[in-house]
Amino acid sequence: MKSRTMNQRLALWLLAALSLTVTGNALAASDESGTVGSVAEDNGLKKDGWARIKTTSILRIELSDEVPANIQTAIEHYDRIIALPIVDPQLRAEAMRRTAYLRVQRADSGEFDAREVRRAIAIYQQLLLDVPNDPGNDRTLYQLARAYQLVNETDNSIAQLQDLGRRYPHSAMTGDGVFRVAELLYSRERYAEAETNYRTVLNLGTDTPYFQPAEYKYGWAIYQQGHYPQALPVFLGILDRELPQGDIADPAHAFDDVSRSRVEVAQDSLRVASLSFAALGGGRALNDYFAKSGEPRYSTLLYNSVGARLLEKQRYTDAAGVYTAFVERHPNSERAPDFQTQVIAAYKQGGFNDLVLQAKENYAKRYAPGSPYWSGTPKPEVLAQVRTHMDDIAHHYQAFAQSTAAADPKRRERFLTAANWYQRTIELFPNDPKVADLNLLYADALYDGGQTQLAAQQYANTAYNRPGFAKAPEAAYASVQAYQRLAGETQGAAHDAALRESVAASLKLADTFNGHPQASTALTRAAQDLVTLKDHDQAITVATRVLQSKLPLSNDLRRQNLAVVADSQFAKQQYPEAEVAYVDLLKVMPADAPERAVTIDQLAASVYKQGEKARDAGDLAAAATSFLRVGKVAPQSAIRVNADYDAASAYYELKNWTAAETVLEDFRTRYPQHPLAADVDKRLAAAYEKNGKPRQAADAYTRVARRPAETVDTRREAAWAAATLYDGSKQPAQSSQAYEFYLSTFNPPLDRGMQARRRIADIARDDLHDNARYERYLNEIVIADRNAGSARNDASKLMAAQASLEIGRGQAQKARQLALAQPIEKSLALRKSATDAAIASLSSAAGYGYAEVTTAATFELGSVYRDFGKAIMDSARPANLKGEPLEQYELLLEEQANPFEEKAIQTYEANLGRMKQGLWNDWIHKSATALVELAPGKYGKHDQRETTYDSLL
């Protein structure tokens, strides 16, 4: 009993001593209550995240001399108390708390020894077992949790703190412990559990020092779970509390009046709230939230912050959407233009040029002078921005259009969009110092956009209604060019009207801007347009003005104006004056100028027209002279061929055949392939014929006859004319060829065909001495008549009879030339065959029934028989016959010859018998003579002959 008492006293002494030394130095961390630590910098705890707890004295202690602080010595003493076999439970429990605490505190101070920490854990666990209902167990659980964390047993640490909260909800340690649980859970990304524990701390009320850090971290735990709508009220609540009263818009100065200790929390709350709105959709989310929950006084700050957060994340379009949301919710706010400017900046930062353009258009439309936005006087800085944006917009569309392919239909549309913006700028800012430049750009855009007439008017407006504008001369000339293009785009009356506008614009330019470098060019074009408008007098006046101007004039412009004068004189039918003007023009025109040929043709036309006038006046000689002069002044002109032809025609009408022949022959030589060459040959043939030159006429007719382009009738008549003219001019070869061409090429009428064959046969016989050709065409005459059918007539038959007669005579002559020689059998056969042919032809000729031919053929037929009998008698005798055999051979020959002689007599008598028909001609007379020779006994005496003749009659 005594020993136990001693032990207890020793324990109390040691406990008191250690309490006064160790606790007084090592444990006294502050003057605060020994139950809860101070709020740390980041979460309301100490720097290591744990509260330092002072253990209050359980017993009254009498102080002794101070014992030097030595944690290890204290631990050993506390351990000795714990080891005492008999000790008051409360003392033992207190010693256990203190030795465990000192171990933990020493590890916290840097003297970490895992075994010592685990020893502390074991002591705390044992303590909780020994005194489970001890009121101080809230501190034990707290410290046990700390010890577990030191050895990285976070789950056990969390479990102890959660046990603390459940068992001691009203403990001063509960707020600290539950907050610590939440922090540990948050650090392990167990946000839902952390959210619950933070909310537990908040439920303790605002008096707990952990309320504000718990509130802040509560919002973060919700945010980390993606519960942005739930996180927003938390952070906005912090901002409501921390930010000063009043309208807060400028992010740079929004936190100037926030206490230094709370600036970081407030700024971060704004940041997380902004991120939450961004996650919920940015501008749309802001407007929806404010519509449902009301708009805080610092909403402008939120719009700016959300936009900034999105820009940081390079979400440029979303950032622009936030700024746009402000404008949509506050369209009449004085800050709306600034937010629209931020929209533009966001798109520009993101490189979204199209969206930049659209945003600028919105700015210009919303805040332009006279827009619904302005209820009072517009602010100069906003109007200046409107003016700048309108410039940018117009320039953009104009540049965009210029870069668009010419074939793209949107090209013109873009130019016209630019024009509309220029027009609006001019209307809204009529006193702008650059309004003249804008007017010129407006005209350019209209021109490129296809609004040519409006462009021309605006160019003129710029040139003449913008005093002092340096580019006025340029605009004036552009107006001329625009009207020129308008003329090219229109037709009919609209085209003429455009040309007149162009002329007027050109004259005004020259009159207004003396010395304008394009004045001569504009006036030249005006003169040309006047020619087009057929205002030739005015055209000559304007062109003469240019030619007489003292301004430098290029050779090209000089030529153009001379051309205007010449063409206008020509159009006025002042042909001599036109001729002079064209000559002047050619003098200044280079030899290789492309238009030289046309000018020469016009010069030729001027001379030609003089010839036409003379011809129309009846002065054919003067007309011919002018026509021929065309070839002298413009030998290579296209109209020369007509002029030469017309000159020949004039001479032809004048019956000046020699002159006509000369011109026509020159024409034929110069233009052999010209379509008029055919007519030239016809006229030439007629002229030669009328001038007594049949051969030359025949040559011309031959060319006509052989020209395939002529009609068949024309060619046939020309061929016949050529043949007859050659024939008449004693050109047998050409005549024969012409007749033959006529027959072989055409299907002539029977009469002409028979005549042509007859002439070919006669020429062959009489001039060409071509007997074969002669006989051939005699036969063709016979055949043509025979095949004529119904076209056959007395003339054709007579010609066929005559041809047959001549054929028979020729054959008879050939037969006579065949002497009967030995061997007689062979020569006789040849002679007989020739004789038979002659007999057949002559018989045919006699058969046509024409007295002259028949009597001639009959006479020739009798002669054939007579000649054949005589040939027999005159035949060669066999060389071996003499004496009586020869006499017998002679008798035999006589017997053979007598029948032919009798046949001849009969034939002559037949001819003589035609006297009964009243016929008498040379052939009958020759037949009678032959009869006298053959039958002198019968026809030899005069009286007998008359009797005989009478008997024949």
Side-chain angles (χ1 to χ4, degrees):
M1 185 68 173
K2 185 177 182 179
S3 174
R4 179 178 181 182
T5 302
M6 288 291 291
N7 287 342
Q8 290 176 346
R9 288 179 178 175
L10 177 60
L12 287 172
W13 179 81
L14 288 171
L15 185 59
L18 290 171
S19 297
L20 293 174
T21 57
V22 177
T23 306
N25 293 283
L27 301 180
S30 68
D31 293 333
E32 298 177 6
S33 171
T35 58
V36 181
S38 301
V39 176
E41 291 180 9
D42 62 343
N43 57 13
L45 305 177
K46 292 295 185 180
K47 290 181 179 180
D48 59 2
W50 289 86
R52 299 294 183 265
I53 302 173
K54 293 181 179 180
T55 303
T56 55
S57 297
I58 299 172
L59 303 174
R60 181 181 299 280
I61 303 297
E62 295 181 2
L63 299 178
S64 63
D65 294 338
E66 183 176 348
V67 179
N70 187 312
I71 292 178
Q72 182 59 35
T73 300
I75 289 172
E76 291 174 357
H77 283 297
Y78 286 135
D79 286 348
R80 286 169 60 190
I81 294 173
I82 296 169
L84 291 174
I86 300 174
V87 67
D88 183 76
Q90 291 187 352
L91 291 176
R92 179 183 177 84
E94 190 63 27
M96 291 174 73
R97 289 189 188 95
R98 289 178 180 269
T99 188
Y101 173 77
L102 290 174
R103 284 180 166 87
V104 173
Q105 193 273 340
R106 184 167 62 182
D108 273 339
S109 66
E111 297 181 21
F112 179 77
D113 185 337
R115 289 176 300 175
E116 287 297 303
V117 175
R118 293 199 177 279
R119 173 62 179 152
I121 291 171
I123 292 172
Y124 280 132
Q125 289 175 335
Q126 186 61 45
L127 178 61
L128 292 172
L129 291 173
D130 291 347
V131 287
N133 299 317
D134 190 285
N137 277 353
D138 56 346
R139 296 190 302 277
T140 301
L141 289 169
Y142 185 87
Q143 288 299 103
L144 176 58
R146 174 60 182 149
Y148 272 127
Q149 189 168 10
L150 286 173
V151 292
N152 292 322
E153 294 186 16
T154 305
D155 288 340
N156 285 328
S157 177
I158 292 171
Q160 301 308 313
L161 292 172
Q162 289 177 330
D163 195 20
L164 168 64
R166 285 193 299 273
R167 292 172 60 184
Y168 304 99
H170 303 295
S171 169
M173 300 297 297
T174 296
D176 189 339
V178 176
F179 183 77
R180 172 59 14 209
V181 170
E183 289 289 274
L184 290 173
L185 290 169
Y186 188 93
S187 67
R188 302 193 73 183
E189 300 182 1
R190 294 163 63 179
Y191 301 118
E193 297 173 71
E195 175 191 350
T196 301
N197 284 275
Y198 285 130
R199 187 166 56 247
T200 299
V201 176
L202 295 177
N203 290 337
L204 294 176
T206 58
D207 292 338
T208 174
Y210 295 103
F211 182 85
Q212 290 185 359
E215 180 185 34
Y216 171 69
K217 294 303 291 289
Y218 175 61
W220 263 109
I222 297 172
Y223 175 83
Q224 294 287 22
Q225 297 176 70
H227 299 162
Y228 308 119
Q230 292 77 19
L232 280 172
V234 179
F235 290 114
L236 295 182
I238 294 173
L239 291 172
D240 282 334
R241 182 177 63 248
E242 301 296 343
L243 292 175
Q245 294 301 311
D247 185 13
I248 303 171
D250 187 0
H253 301 287
F255 301 97
D256 289 353
D257 295 332
V258 178
S259 64
R260 294 180 62 186
S261 63
R262 300 299 295 168
V263 167
E264 185 176 351
V265 172
Q267 289 176 336
D268 200 47
S269 294
L270 177 62
R271 184 175 71 87
V272 181
S274 300
L275 292 175
S276 297
F277 277 121
L280 289 171
R284 175 178 51 80
L286 279 163
N287 285 357
D288 290 346
Y289 187 88
F290 295 155
K292 294 177 183 178
S293 304
E295 189 167 352
R297 65 185 185 282
Y298 50 86
S299 62
T300 303
L301 182 65
L302 281 170
Y303 281 107
N304 276 317
S305 179
V306 174
R309 299 286 79 77
L310 290 169
L311 288 176
E312 290 174 0
K313 295 179 177 294
Q314 299 183 351
R315 292 171 58 183
Y316 303 109
T317 56
D318 290 338
V322 171
Y323 302 135
T324 300
F326 179 91
V327 176
E328 291 173 349
R329 185 169 174 79
H330 306 283
N332 298 318
S333 169
E334 65 177 2
R335 296 192 181 98
D338 294 334
F339 271 91
Q340 187 64 26
T341 297
Q342 292 187 82
V343 172
I344 295 169
Y347 285 139
K348 185 179 294 184
Q349 189 175 345
F352 299 107
N353 295 332
D354 290 344
L355 295 176
V356 170
L357 177 69
Q358 183 179 343
K360 287 184 177 182
E361 289 184 17
N362 290 336
Y363 191 106
K365 292 174 182 177
R366 286 172 180 162
Y367 310 121
S371 69
Y373 176 78
W374 300 109
S375 58
T377 303
K379 293 182 178 180
E381 61 272 18
V382 176
L383 294 185
Q385 196 65 55
V386 170
R387 172 70 179 81
T388 299
H389 288 332
M390 293 182 80
D391 245 6
D392 292 344
I393 295 165
H395 289 335
H396 166 82
Y397 278 113
Q398 194 165 27
F400 189 22
Q402 288 169 347
S403 65
T404 304
D408 192 333
K410 292 185 177 180
R411 176 182 170 89
R412 286 194 169 188
E413 177 184 328
R414 289 164 183 162
F415 274 121
L416 292 181
T417 301
N420 289 336
W421 281 102
Y422 284 128
Q423 182 183 20
R424 291 183 63 188
T425 306
I426 294 169
E427 292 171 350
L428 293 174
F429 302 96
N431 299 319
D432 190 285
K434 294 185 177 179
V435 69
D437 291 293
L438 287 172
N439 209 151
L440 184 57
L441 290 170
Y442 173 42
D444 286 342
L446 286 171
Y447 184 88
D448 292 330
Q451 295 297 317
T452 311
Q453 186 168 12
L454 288 176
Q457 293 168 354
Q458 286 305 315
Y459 280 131
N461 185 46
T462 305
Y464 304 111
N465 298 327
R466 302 295 182 188
F469 183 43
K471 294 183 179 179
E474 175 186 332
Y477 187 61
S479 178
V480 174
Q481 291 178 307
Y483 280 122
Q484 282 294 318
R485 190 174 84 168
L486 180 63
E489 295 171 344
T490 53
Q491 295 178 346
H495 171 266
D496 291 349
L499 286 183
R500 294 191 186 283
E501 291 286 359
S502 177
V503 170
S506 299
L507 293 173
K508 188 172 184 179
L509 178 148
D511 293 339
T512 305
F513 301 102
N514 187 27
H516 192 295
Q518 299 297 333
S520 296
T521 300
L523 289 175
T524 299
R525 185 57 186 265
Q528 293 170 333
D529 289 341
L530 287 166
V531 172
T532 302
L533 294 167
K534 295 182 171 44
D535 190 348
H536 300 294
D537 289 331
Q538 183 67 5
I540 292 172
T541 299
V542 175
T544 303
R545 173 181 175 177
V546 177
L547 292 169
Q548 295 176 352
S549 172
K550 296 180 180 179
L551 293 175
L553 189 64
S554 69
N555 189 53
D556 183 57
L557 290 178
R558 185 177 299 280
R559 293 203 309 271
Q560 292 181 46
N561 284 281
L562 284 171
V564 167
V565 173
D567 290 342
S568 295
Q569 295 287 15
F570 187 92
K572 292 174 64 181
Q573 299 184 10
Q574 301 296 323
Y575 301 120
E577 292 83 353
E579 179 183 356
V580 173
Y582 283 124
V583 170
D584 290 341
L585 175 58
L586 287 169
K587 289 177 181 178
V588 298
M589 185 178 292
D592 59 350
E595 67 273 19
R596 188 174 182 85
V598 175
T599 304
I600 290 173
D601 283 344
Q602 283 299 103
L603 171 61
S606 298
V607 179
Y608 180 82
K609 287 292 184 181
Q610 295 175 55
E612 284 187 325
K613 275 195 169 185
R615 182 178 60 192
D616 294 342
D619 191 348
L620 294 176
T625 300
S626 292
F627 289 140
L628 290 178
R629 197 160 58 84
V630 171
K632 296 176 181 178
V633 300
Q636 302 303 320
S637 65
I639 203 173
R640 179 183 179 181
V641 61
N642 298 85
D644 288 348
Y645 183 83
D646 288 346
S649 298
Y651 284 131
Y652 193 92
E653 291 185 40
L654 288 170
K655 298 183 179 181
N656 187 343
W657 308 122
T658 301
E661 291 166 8
T662 301
V663 177
L664 290 170
E665 281 291 356
D666 182 69
F667 186 102
R668 191 176 68 80
T669 302
R670 191 180 302 277
Y671 315 110
Q673 303 302 322
H674 194 277
L676 287 174
D679 196 58
V680 165
D681 274 329
K682 294 172 189 174
R683 284 181 173 258
L684 191 57
Y688 278 132
E689 195 170 3
K690 291 177 183 298
N691 205 22
K693 298 178 180 179
R695 183 185 61 78
Q696 291 88 338
D699 290 341
Y701 280 127
T702 298
R703 290 192 295 271
V704 175
R706 294 180 179 274
R707 186 171 291 116
E710 299 287 356
T711 65
V712 174
D713 288 344
T714 298
R715 294 178 60 203
R716 182 170 54 244
E717 292 304 312
W720 181 254
T724 57
L725 286 168
Y726 278 132
D727 205 355
S729 62
K730 307 302 181 183
Q731 303 292 321
Q734 290 93 325
S735 176
S736 180
Q737 291 173 0
Y739 281 126
E740 193 168 35
F741 172 77
Y742 176 80
L743 289 171
S744 63
T745 305
F746 308 103
N747 184 23
L750 180 63
D751 290 347
R752 276 193 180 177
M754 297 295 280
Q755 292 176 43
R757 294 181 184 93
R758 180 70 259 180
R759 285 303 299 145
I760 294 172
D762 290 345
I763 292 169
R765 178 192 64 201
D766 299 336
D767 299 301
L768 303 180
H769 308 294
D770 186 344
N771 196 61
R773 185 177 178 85
Y774 168 62
E775 291 179 355
R776 170 190 163 192
Y777 276 94
L778 290 177
N779 281 299
E780 285 196 9
I781 291 171
V782 174
I783 293 170
D785 173 69
R786 183 187 308 141
N787 297 334
S790 60
R792 194 179 188 199
N793 54 45
D794 287 340
S796 66
K797 288 190 284 187
L798 176 58
M799 293 182 77
Q802 183 63 41
S804 295
L805 175 61
E806 293 179 31
I807 292 169
R809 284 173 176 166
Q811 291 170 335
Q813 181 60 30
K814 290 179 181 179
R816 291 186 188 100
Q817 294 174 356
L818 294 174
L820 296 179
Q822 293 296 330
I824 191 67
E825 295 84 0
K826 183 176 181 181
S827 61
L828 181 61
L830 292 174
R831 177 65 183 260
K832 185 177 184 303
S833 175
T835 300
D836 288 342
I839 292 170
S841 297
L842 292 170
S843 297
S844 175
Y848 281 96
Y850 293 98
E852 188 70 18
V853 175
T854 299
T855 55
T858 302
F859 172 77
E860 296 293 344
L861 188 60
S863 298
V864 168
Y865 289 131
R866 182 180 181 184
D867 289 341
F868 190 79
K870 186 176 183 300
I872 292 173
M873 293 306 298
D874 293 340
S875 64
R877 275 44 172 184
N880 58 350
L881 290 180
K882 292 182 180 180
E884 186 177 349
L886 178 60
E887 290 178 1
Q888 291 179 353
Y889 184 80
E890 292 286 353
L891 291 173
L892 179 62
L893 289 176
E894 187 175 347
E895 290 177 0
Q896 294 295 324
N898 284 335
F900 288 101
E901 185 174 309
E902 290 297 329
K903 189 69 174 175
I905 291 171
Q906 293 173 2
T907 302
Y908 290 139
E909 287 178 342
N911 218 7
L912 193 63
R914 291 186 173 89
M915 293 172 60
K916 293 179 180 181
Q917 302 171 9
L919 294 177
W920 179 260
N921 56 31
D922 289 344
W923 303 113
I924 296 175
H925 181 266
K926 288 182 179 181
S927 296
T929 303
L931 284 171
V932 171
E933 294 173 355
L934 288 173
K938 185 176 181 180
Y939 297 102
K941 293 180 180 180
H942 178 71
D943 53 345
Q944 291 178 338
R945 184 169 58 251
E946 288 181 354
T947 302
T948 303
Y949 293 165
D950 291 340
S951 65
L952 290 174
L953 293 172

